[in-house]
Amino acid sequence: EAVGQEFRPAKVGDSFGPTWETCWFKAELSIPPAWAGREVHFVWESDGEGMVWRDAQPVQGLTKEGEKTSYILTSSLKEMEPHSLTLYVELACNGLFGAGKGSMIAPPDPDRRFTLSKAELVVFNRDVYELLMDLEILLDMAQLLGEENQRSFQALYAANQMVNVCDVKDPSTFPAARDLAAAIFSQRNGESQHTIHAVGHCHIDSAWLWPYEETIRKCARSWVTVVRLMERNPQLTFACSQLSLISVLRQAQQFEWVRSWYPGLYVQIQDFVAKGQFIPVGGTWVEMDGNLPSGESMVRQFLQGQRFFQEQFGRICSEFWLPDTFGYSAQLPQLMRGCGIRRFLTQKLSWNLVNTFPHHTFFWEGIDGSRVLTHFPPGDSYGMHGRVEEMLKTVKNNKDKGRVNHSALLFGFGDGGGGPTQKMLDRMKRMSDTDGLPRVQISTPDRLFSVLEKESSQLCTWVGELFLELHNGTYTTQAQIKKGNRECERILHDVEVLSTLAVARDGTFQYPASQLQRLWRLLLLNQFHDVLPGSCIQLVVEDALRYYAEIRRAGARLQEEAVQSLCRELLQPKAGSTESTLVVNTLPWERTEVISRTGPAGTETLGLVTVPSMGYAVVREPLVPPQPVAVRKQEDGSIVMENGVLAVCLDMMGHLTSLQLVDSQRESVPDGCYANQFALFDDVPLYWDAWDVMDYHLETRKPVTTLLKPLEITLAGGLRGSASFSLQIGKSSTLTQEIILDATCPYLRFLTQVEWKEAHKFLKVEFPVQVRSTNATYEIQFGHLQRPTHWNTSWDWARFEVWAHKWLDLSEHGFGVALLNDCKYGASAHGNILSLSL
């Protein structure tokens, strides 16, 4: 399609745009015959991301920030090679990190232009390049090894001699200069030297400062660049080692995108996977958030990822690879082991703002006792450049010296930067076994972990969650995304339960496997670690909300089809029968609840029903509650509600002033305190605006006290009692809440709607309770976790804002209070105050 367009002349210095547009360039090249035998490059530089196409196939990614600005036309021009050829360059009008206006994480500038700064046909002098690489390594050794190390002086004097020997105008002097460097590089290490396993890497966020659609092109640009590099480096010979360039690819979703959009490139990737150079790791559909997805969602991440890798590459992943996620649930070790994975790699805890994590190689133990061998690359990065400084940091920084003598170094430019470069490889070739530096070998994750497993007898064990002391705001940012995730997880659960029951009851019912896989993959995609946390641009949010809407729409249809099949006979009206309602329960316990149903005239009526576990009931005559809900308004304007289980008192502001469990006569709200207290905090983090909430925000607490509409009774009792009120929040926002107590119900419900128009503010709701415990309990995936309610240590204090799933609980012997939610994740329990971040 692009080739068939009309092209107009363009020149260096021209600008193109606006943001997110695509421009195509036709480059007609003529190589001078005088360049015979020379290495010839096509050089292209712009501040947008580019892709070179040749013969209708992508052949090279071009990204200035990733040091990818040239396409090698020939390594030695031969007479029979074409001297005239046509290339096409696809220019994406966005930078490596999107197009933020004023800063990287600012909203994109929609009108930004992108400039072509260089388009040239050049001769590349490989001899000069190799000479410069020698000098770079020697000078880094001289500068970084320190005055107490004789090797720094040896490297310095060798570099000085090279300068003396080398005449830049006389290439015949270059070999003698290079021999001086080779003499240094050939001096070997002792047997005890630390070994660094260098693994090519190209972490690409599936969406972040750019939309999902741009990620497809980022993958293609990066992976075709890696393929070209592998073709030139099948076996890098130096010293006594044979090395292969290894690139690690994670995320089955990104493979699937490339398979669909770039089939020719995908075939090449499959070939390098078969050769053992492209290594699928990770085992999940995307690099999901490590905290917020439900247990079932996490299982599906592994199921969809491992199945894809098995089908496409004939193997499942043995390593879980999650380098950039904002913390790691204590349930993950059990899920990993259940999905065939015993090894885990990340580095994100190096971002901790308060405490330094005490290990780089250790066993991580989950809530059921499952353990996985875990490694954090000691260089604290997944985008190294193969420099001397990084090798020395990897050894110096390693917290487990003496326990293990091997570690990982991940090198390459990420997020569309094209991964490893030839320069990185050539640096490490010179450091493979050079006295004074750690050994560096191009390796594989399997080779690294296999060695670590053999050395693991003295490793320490970390029990429980790997909590990132940063980015706590991502538990709350983008409320609609959080709500969509929770609702869609529930919808897919219900569809699967009902469809399974329908199959069991009626063998002719077709289980909607393909439709469910499509919907699950949409949900799993939205659980990527910059989408579900909300740390992404508006374009991504709009895509995510559209995917949630599709899951809701298609899920409702599949649910209806399953119910129709499951209960077809029950749904047929029978002559003379009384009006009835079919009620389905998809949870694994019997439930007695008040439901709302639509009568013949379209009016809503309430009914108390009991429905068995994972089953259904036909309700004709609703149950009569043992005690109806009583609602009374007191002289002071407060409202009292009772149902025989709970007794509740609310003041005119909607505060919960009393909550008693009737049988125990135990008061839950401390004297003089208000529960259901809304509070507004300033939210001005140090840098990561959508990501962070800092501890100092707690010093800015302001209770919400501006009443717009005082508490009034909305339902007078019987099966249900309720009262509602409205508040003003900050300058422009409003909150309306209905507080509901149902017959026989052991909990009080709060239906809350907020019209949010504040900037750099944080809204929470607080529940002080008359319970004393040093730990609160939080629901996590398939289990729960205890965290301290005090700040005795810096590790306790750093968890001032934590995450939970559907509930948090504060209990002492014989009594406790739990706070439940249907769409929130940020929470805290400090002292006796349970707080939910809204």
Side-chain angles (χ1 to χ4, degrees), residues 716-734:
L719 288 176
R720 175 172 291 169
S722 68
S724 64
F725 65 97
S726 297
L727 300 173
Q728 180 173 323
I729 303 170
K731 293 183 178 180
S732 313
S733 303
T734 58

Side-chain angles (χ1 to χ4, degrees), residues 300-357:
R300 300 306 174 103
Q301 288 283 359
F302 285 108
L303 174 66
Q304 293 290 338
Q306 294 284 53
R307 179 183 289 166
F308 182 90
F309 290 129
Q310 180 68 53
E311 290 173 354
Q312 294 296 313
F313 306 117
R315 50 158 290 189
I316 64 170
C317 300
S318 57
E319 301 88 15
F320 184 36
W321 201 271
L322 203 61
D324 195 32
T325 291
F326 313 145
Y328 305 89
S329 167
Q331 181 56 276
L332 275 169
Q334 182 179 6
L335 297 182
M336 282 186 246
R337 293 296 296 266
C339 297
I341 292 174
R342 308 169 68 93
R343 302 157 167 181
F344 176 49
L345 183 142
T346 186
Q347 61 81 48
K348 198 65 177 186
L349 264 66
S350 65
W351 287 45
N352 272 7
L353 203 59
V354 181
N355 298 286
T356 300
F357 194 78

Side-chain angles (χ1 to χ4, degrees), residues 574-790:
K574 295 181 176 60
S577 65
T578 57
E579 188 69 32
S580 61
T581 302
L582 178 68
V583 185
V584 179
N585 175 20
T586 57
L587 294 181
W589 57 84
E590 182 182 89
R591 294 159 68 188
T592 298
E593 294 181 14
V594 175
I595 64 164
S596 177
R597 53 183 183 161
T598 305
T603 56
E604 292 285 323
T605 59
L606 299 176
L608 181 65
V609 300
T610 296
V611 186
S613 158
M614 291 284 191
Y616 56 85
V618 178
V619 179
R620 292 185 174 86
E621 291 297 328
L623 302 173
V624 177
Q627 181 173 329
V629 180
V631 182
R632 301 188 307 276
K633 188 166 187 176
Q634 311 284 80
E635 289 184 6
D636 61 359
S638 63
I639 291 175
V640 174
M641 294 192 284
E642 297 182 37
N643 68 353
V645 182
L646 295 178
V648 176
C649 185
L650 303 161
D651 71 9
M652 292 179 63
M653 291 282 296
H655 295 135
L656 184 61
T657 57
S658 175
L659 174 64
Q660 290 188 6
L661 196 60
V662 172
D663 286 347
S664 70
Q665 293 296 304
R666 174 80 181 253
E667 176 58 63
S668 301
V669 181
D671 290 341
C673 293
Y674 298 127
N676 196 38
Q677 170 67 65
F678 293 94
L680 198 63
F681 299 80
D682 292 343
D683 179 25
V684 186
L686 296 176
Y687 177 67
W688 298 98
D689 202 347
W691 291 256
D692 287 349
V693 57
M694 312 307 296
D695 59 331
Y696 53 75
H697 87 281
L698 296 170
E699 300 172 16
T700 66
R701 178 182 180 276
K702 295 181 181 63
V704 176
T705 57
T706 305
L707 189 62
L708 295 179
K709 178 188 166 191
L711 188 74
E712 293 290 346
I713 295 173
T714 48
L715 283 175
L719 288 176
R720 175 172 291 169
S722 68
S724 64
F725 65 97
S726 297
L727 300 173
Q728 180 173 323
I729 303 170
K731 293 183 178 180
S732 313
S733 303
T734 58
L735 178 148
T736 300
Q737 188 179 72
E738 184 179 15
I739 303 173
I740 300 168
L741 183 64
D742 283 346
T744 75
C745 189
Y747 54 83
L748 189 63
R749 283 194 295 147
F750 302 83
L751 295 185
T752 311
Q753 283 192 319
V754 179
E755 193 71 31
W756 185 251
K757 298 178 181 177
E758 304 304 302
H760 290 112
K761 298 293 180 182
F762 196 175
L763 179 66
K764 303 185 184 186
V765 62
E766 301 168 344
F767 289 83
V769 295
Q770 202 152 284
V771 176
R772 181 168 178 80
S773 176
T774 55
N775 289 290
T777 306
Y778 301 79
E779 191 204 22
I780 66 171
Q781 299 84 355
F782 298 132
H784 58 265
L785 187 71
Q786 290 197 328
R787 299 183 179 111
T789 57
H790 55 75

Side-chain angles (χ1 to χ4, degrees), residues 1-7:
E1 185 183 337
V3 170
Q5 301 298 310
E6 253 188 62
F7 288 87

Side-chain angles (χ1 to χ4, degrees), residues 85-133:
L85 66 155
T86 299
L87 303 177
Y88 292 87
V89 177
E90 177 190 15
L91 178 68
C93 292
N94 53 266
L96 189 64
F97 295 106
K101 191 172 186 176
S103 79
M104 181 182 76
I105 62 171
D109 178 357
D111 301 314
R112 184 167 160 186
R113 309 286 291 181
F114 294 81
T115 303
L116 174 59
S117 55
K118 188 178 288 187
E120 298 174 348
L121 195 61
V122 304
V123 169
F124 184 81
N125 193 321
R126 183 68 56 181
D127 292 335
V128 171
Y129 164 83
E130 297 289 356
L131 194 60
L132 291 173
M133 290 305 306

